[in-house]
Structures are given as C-alpha cells and as structure tokens.
Amino acid sequence: LQQGITSLRNSYPQANSELPDNAPKSLPTSEAAPTGFLSYVSHQNQKVLNIKGQECYEAALRPCDFLLFEYRLLLTTFPQFPENMMKFLLLKERGNSMRVHKSLTSRGWPKRLSAESSLTDSTNEHFTTDYYWGKLEDSYYDYLQGTGTFFTAMEPPRKYCLCYKTPKGDIIKRDTKSPVVEKAVMELLSLKATKTQPPISPESLVP
C-alpha cells in the first residue's frame, strides 16, 4: 500500500499548470450489489456464507460518507480546481482533507468559501487499517488460510463487510459498519491477521 501511495506524483499542480498525464480520468462507478437474505457465493471449491446483519448499517452514516462529504466540500471550496484531480490529491494525502486544503490555498487556487472547520487534519482510517483491503475481490478469500484469519472490504454501493474463516473451514461474509473491527468482535470471533496480503492500490481503498 505504501508503495502505491508514494507512486503518486510528489507535488501538487499550480493554479496555472497542466494536470499530470497519470491523473485519473473518472471516478469509480457503483455496480448493483447482491440481494437476498441468505445466499452462497461459489469461489473455486470454497463456499462463502453471506450473512446479513441484524442492524441496518445502510441507514446510518458510515466512515466513507464522511470522506465523501469532505471530498465534495473541497470541490465546492475550490470550484476552479478539476474534479477528477481533487480525488487524486485526496488519495495522495491519505484522506487528510485539511492538508489538501492548505496545499491548494498556498498554490493560489481561489476559494469560494471558508471550510477549514469542517475538514479533517488526520489520515483517514481507510488508509491506516492494515486488514481493510478496499474493494472486495474473489481472490481475497484465498488469503484466509487459518482459523480466525480475516479481512474487511467494501462492496457496492459502499457497504462494508467482514470476511473470516471458522474452525470448520467455512468462510463467513457479514455486514459491518466500518473498515475497523471492534475489539469485542475480534475477541468473540478469535480473529487474527492473515500471514500475507494481496497487492492493493490506493484507488481501491476509497469509495
């Protein structure tokens, strides 16, 4: 992950400069999410049990909602700054919207409003949680090699899930409210980190 972050451009564009050639051209789009109270997803010879949680996480604000809010607030604050490039900068700063704001201000980009009080001056948990792997891929299940091994991920449209292996060898996938697993849940399910992790791009970590 760190290599992916540092591979982004090391400096921001000035107000009168051209965008870098490797800037993202568009934002990711959501796809239809699986439906049904209880469903099985086949992954090679392993069945993944998908359990819908009793709590309605979709009704509550999630960490990705706050990150998306700050992204849109930056766009409103700097209306002349290219929209696609704003996400590029937010990725580079690992979700620290205040650093993006300060950098654009110092480089002369005009502001429409003052938004400092609503921005976050810290790295976002999507970038600091080692076991959060971003957009869920079928290949991620191969990394659950022992009892209690787990990871969290995101399914469209911006829904978090917890995936782990049981003592019987089953793989469970269930809804969760954030990339971070609560300590009580970790202890209850005897969760532990995987020995290896898949290669993860910074773009896959954000909604």
Side-chain angles (χ1 to χ4, degrees):
L1 173 60
Q2 186 61 37
Q3 292 179 348
I5 293 290
T6 55
S7 67
L8 299 174
R9 296 185 68 89
N10 294 323
S11 62
Y12 297 135
Q14 306 296 325
N16 60 353
S17 65
E18 296 182 356
L19 298 181
D21 293 335
N22 65 342
K25 304 302 181 184
S26 61
L27 297 179
T29 56
S30 296
E31 301 174 357
T35 59
F37 175 75
L38 190 63
S39 61
Y40 287 90
V41 180
S42 176
H43 176 61
Q44 297 180 353
N45 296 322
Q46 177 70 59
K47 287 184 177 180
V48 180
L49 180 59
N50 185 11
I51 300 179
K52 299 292 290 184
Q54 294 181 351
E55 297 183 54
C56 183
Y57 295 128
E58 294 182 2
L61 287 175
R62 299 154 296 184
C64 60
D65 295 321
F66 292 102
L67 185 60
L68 184 60
F69 166 77
E70 293 183 3
Y71 166 72
R72 290 173 174 168
L73 183 58
L74 286 170
L75 291 176
T76 303
T77 303
F78 299 95
Q80 296 183 26
F81 193 77
E83 180 176 343
N84 294 335
M85 192 59 192
M86 188 67 78
K87 182 183 177 183
F88 181 81
L89 300 185
L90 199 56
L91 279 174
K92 185 177 185 296
E93 295 297 351
R94 297 165 61 87
N96 189 320
S97 56
M98 180 62 78
R99 291 190 65 178
V100 174
H101 182 281
K102 290 180 178 179
S103 183
L104 292 179
T105 300
S106 67
R107 284 162 173 78
W109 287 92
K111 293 188 292 185
R112 174 182 292 176
L113 51 85
S114 179
E116 290 91 334
S117 61
S118 299
L119 299 177
T120 302
D121 193 14
S122 61
T123 303
N124 188 270
E125 61 188 347
H126 290 84
F127 299 90
T128 59
T129 307
D130 292 338
Y131 54 77
Y132 171 68
W133 295 352
K135 182 181 177 182
L136 181 62
E137 303 287 348
D138 286 344
S139 60
Y140 289 178
Y141 298 121
D142 294 335
Y143 291 85
L144 301 179
Q145 295 294 327
T147 299
T149 52
F150 79 104
F151 63 85
T152 57
M154 181 181 287
E155 295 181 295
R158 298 196 303 273
K159 295 194 306 180
Y160 298 105
C161 60
L162 166 64
C163 304
Y164 61 95
K165 197 163 193 176
T166 69
K168 294 182 179 180
D170 297 324
I171 294 179
I172 303 294
K173 178 165 71 73
R174 63 195 309 163
D175 293 347
T176 187
K177 61 184 179 181
S178 83
V180 181
V181 181
E182 296 178 356
K183 182 178 180 180
V185 176
M186 296 273 285
E187 295 176 350
L188 178 64
L189 299 176
S190 299
L191 300 180
K192 60 184 180 182
T194 58
K195 293 183 178 180
T196 58
Q197 295 184 0
I200 303 170
S201 66
E203 292 84 358
S204 70
L205 294 176
V206 295

